[in-house]
C-alpha cells in the first residue's frame, strides 16, 4: 500500500441487513495486517454518506472507500462528483451489483487486495433531475421489485430478491408509456425500461448483460407488455445474459432516455427507489465523470 494515500472508509452499518456492522472488526483487523493508514466514519441517516464523502474529498482525502451496498455507494458517488477523489468499493450489501462490474468479490481480504493495488479507471455516470447514479436505473417492474424488497424483514441475498419478485409479479401490470432513446420513439404498454451502466441489477439480474462502465453509452433494456407465462418461461435468461433473445425484449444503446407515463411509474436508481408515482423521467449520461478502483485487466 502506498502510505501516502490513506483511506477514508465510509461504512453504512445497516448495509446487508446489518452484515456491515458485523464485519467491521474483520475489516479493521485486515487493514491493520496490511499496514493501511485509514479512518472510518459510520453513517446514521440517509444521504449522510454523500456529505461525508464530499467533506472528506475537500479536506485532503484522495481515496474514499464505500464499505456498504449499492445504495450507499450511490450516496458516496453523489458526494464525490466535482472533486478529484478516487472511489473504492468494499461490497457488503444485499445486491452489490456495481461491485460485480468492478469484479470485486465480497470476501474482505480479496477485496482489500484489489483496493490496495489501486488500479483506477474513469467511468461514466448517469444523471436524473434528482440524483446521479453509477450502476443503473429502472422504471417499472424492476423498480417495484426494489420497493418490495425494502418492505421485507428477516431475509437477504437471493432469497430476499426471489420473494420480492413474487410479490411484484402479483401486483404489477404494464404501464402505458412514451419511451424515447437513440432517436426512436415507442408508445404503448411497457413492462420495464432500464438504463444500465453496469451489467446487472437486483443482486445479479442481467438486464443489460453487455454494458460497459466507460463506453459513454447506457445499455437500454426495453420490455414490452409480457405475460406471466412468458416471464416464467424465460426467467433463467435474466441470469445467463440471454435476455435479449426474448421476443418482447429490445436491447440498445443510448446516451439518454426520456420516459413519460400515462399513470404513476415506480423508479429506482442504483437499487434505491426514488418514487412509485413518476410521470416523467429524463436520464442523461456524463462520460468519464469519476475515477474508480477496480479489478481492471
Amino acid at each position: 500500500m502506498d502510505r501516502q494515500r490513506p483511506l477514508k472508509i465510509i461504512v453504512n452499518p445497516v448495509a446487508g441487513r446489518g452484515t456491515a456492522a458485523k464485519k467491521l472488526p474483520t475489516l479493521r483487523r485486515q487493514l491493520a495486517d496490511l499496514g493501511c493508514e485509514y479512518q472510518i466514519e459510520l453513517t446514521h441517516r440517509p444521504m449522510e454518506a454523500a456529505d461525508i464523502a464530499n467533506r472528506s474529498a475537500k479536506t485532503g482525502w484522495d481515496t474514499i472507500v464505500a464499505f456498504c451496498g449499492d445504495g450507499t455507494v450511490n450516496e458516496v458517488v453523489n458526494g464525490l462528483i466535482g472533486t478529484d477523489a478516487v472511489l473504492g468499493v468494499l461490497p457488503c450489501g444485499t445486491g452489490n451489483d456495481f461491485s460485480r462490474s468492478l469484479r470485486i468479490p465480497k470476501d474482505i481480504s480479496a477485496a482489500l487486495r484489489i483496493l490496495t493495488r489501486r488500479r483506477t479507471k474513469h467511468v461514466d455516470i448517469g444523471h436524473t433531475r434528482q440524483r446521479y447514479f453509477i450502476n443503473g436505473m429502472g422504471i417499472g417492474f424492476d423498480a417495484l421489485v426494489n420497493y418490495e424488497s425494502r418492505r421485507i424483514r428477516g431475509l437477504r441475498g437471493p432469497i430476499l430478491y426471489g420473494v420480492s419478485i413474487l410479490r411484484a409479479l402479483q401486483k404489477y401490470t404494464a404501464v402505458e408509456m412514451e419511451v424515447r432513446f437513440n432517436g426512436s420513439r415507442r408508445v404503448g404498454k411497457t413492462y420495464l425500461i432500464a438504463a444500465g451502466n453496469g451489467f446487472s441489477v437486483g443482486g445479479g439480474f442481467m438486464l443489460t448483460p453487455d454494458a460497459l462502465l466507460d463506453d459513454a453509452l447506457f445499455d437500454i433494456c426495453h420490455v414490452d407488455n409480457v405475460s406471466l407465462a412468458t416471464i416464467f418461461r424465460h426467467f433463467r435468461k435474466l441470469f445467463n445474459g440471454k435476455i435479449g433473445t426474448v421476443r418482447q425484449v429490445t436491447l440498445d444503446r443510448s446516451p439518454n432516455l426520456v420516459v413519460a407515463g400515462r399513470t404513476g411509474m415506480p423508479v429506482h436508481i442504483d437499487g434505491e427507489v426514488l418514487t412509485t408515482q413518476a410521470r416523467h423521467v429524463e436520464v442523461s449520461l456524463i462520460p468519464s465523470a469519476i475515477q474508480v478502483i477496480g479489478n481492471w485487466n
Side-chain angles (χ1 to χ4, degrees), residues 151-206:
R151 303 175 66 195
I152 297 172
R153 299 291 179 263
L155 299 177
R156 62 189 182 196
I159 295 176
L160 169 64
Y161 283 108
V163 174
S164 302
I165 287 168
L166 291 175
R167 286 193 179 186
L169 285 170
Q170 293 174 344
K171 298 178 180 181
Y172 187 72
T173 57
V175 176
E176 190 78 21
M177 300 182 193
E178 177 187 353
V179 178
R180 287 182 283 150
F181 61 89
N182 199 24
S184 68
R185 177 178 178 268
R186 299 163 181 261
V187 178
K189 287 191 174 181
T190 292
Y191 204 76
L192 71 83
I193 178 80
N197 197 34
F199 64 78
S200 75
V201 295
F205 299 121
M206 299 174 68

Side-chain angles (χ1 to χ4, degrees), residues 15-293:
R17 303 289 168 103
T19 300
K22 294 175 182 176
K23 290 187 174 181
L24 255 181
T26 301
L27 175 63
R28 292 181 187 274
R29 183 174 63 252
Q30 294 193 9
L31 285 164
D33 290 344
L34 287 169
C36 295
E37 184 180 348
Y38 69 93
Q39 182 183 93
I40 288 176
E41 282 198 52
L42 274 60
T43 65
H44 303 92
R45 57 175 172 80
M47 292 306 295
E48 186 175 9
D51 295 338
I52 295 172
N54 189 263
R55 167 173 45 82
S56 299
K58 290 179 176 179
T59 55
W61 295 88
D62 73 347
T63 307
I64 315 295
V65 180
F67 182 61
C68 53
D70 290 319
T72 309
V73 170
N74 174 273
E75 293 187 18
V76 173
V77 167
N78 275 266
L80 293 183
I81 295 302
T83 76
D84 294 325
V86 174
L87 170 67
V89 178
L90 295 171
C92 195
T94 302
N96 302 306
D97 288 287
F98 181 58
S99 63
R100 285 183 174 86
S101 288
L102 300 179
R103 299 196 304 162
I104 297 177
K106 289 185 69 174
D107 177 76
I108 293 176
S109 178
L112 281 174
R113 286 196 295 272
I114 294 168
L115 188 68
T116 55
R117 285 201 299 267
R118 210 174 188 277
R119 294 175 180 167
T120 67
K121 179 184 287 191
H122 281 88
V123 307
D124 310 326
I125 61 166
H127 183 247
T128 69
R129 290 180 178 178
Q130 296 106 323
R131 293 259 287 274
Y132 296 101
F133 62 91
I134 196 164
N135 186 65
M137 65 81 63
I139 301 171
F141 178 74
D142 61 327
L144 186 62
V145 171
N146 278 279
Y147 175 75
E148 291 295 330
S149 72
R150 298 300 185 271
R151 303 175 66 195
I152 297 172
R153 299 291 179 263
L155 299 177
R156 62 189 182 196
I159 295 176
L160 169 64
Y161 283 108
V163 174
S164 302
I165 287 168
L166 291 175
R167 286 193 179 186
L169 285 170
Q170 293 174 344
K171 298 178 180 181
Y172 187 72
T173 57
V175 176
E176 190 78 21
M177 300 182 193
E178 177 187 353
V179 178
R180 287 182 283 150
F181 61 89
N182 199 24
S184 68
R185 177 178 178 268
R186 299 163 181 261
V187 178
K189 287 191 174 181
T190 292
Y191 204 76
L192 71 83
I193 178 80
N197 197 34
F199 64 78
S200 75
V201 295
F205 299 121
M206 299 174 68
L207 293 178
T208 53
D210 299 318
L212 299 173
L213 295 171
D214 60 347
D215 63 350
L217 291 168
F218 294 122
D219 276 39
I220 305 291
C221 176
H222 181 270
V223 182
D224 290 327
N225 194 13
V226 63
S227 68
L228 284 176
T230 300
I231 292 171
F232 285 122
R233 185 164 66 250
H234 296 289
F235 191 71
R236 70 183 184 279
K237 293 180 180 178
L238 281 170
F239 299 94
N240 63 17
K242 296 183 179 179
I243 188 70
T245 65
V246 179
R247 180 176 60 82
Q248 294 87 350
V249 175
T250 299
L251 298 181
D252 206 333
R253 291 187 172 93
S254 176
N256 48 60
L257 171 68
V258 180
V259 181
R262 186 165 291 180
T263 58
M265 307 174 294
V267 180
H268 85 87
I269 57 170
D270 291 343
E272 296 294 306
V273 178
L274 281 182
T275 178
T276 59
Q277 295 298 319
R279 297 295 293 269
H280 186 87
V281 179
E282 295 185 20
V283 181
S284 56
L285 183 138
I286 307 172
S288 301
I290 189 169
Q291 196 172 4
V292 182
I293 297 171

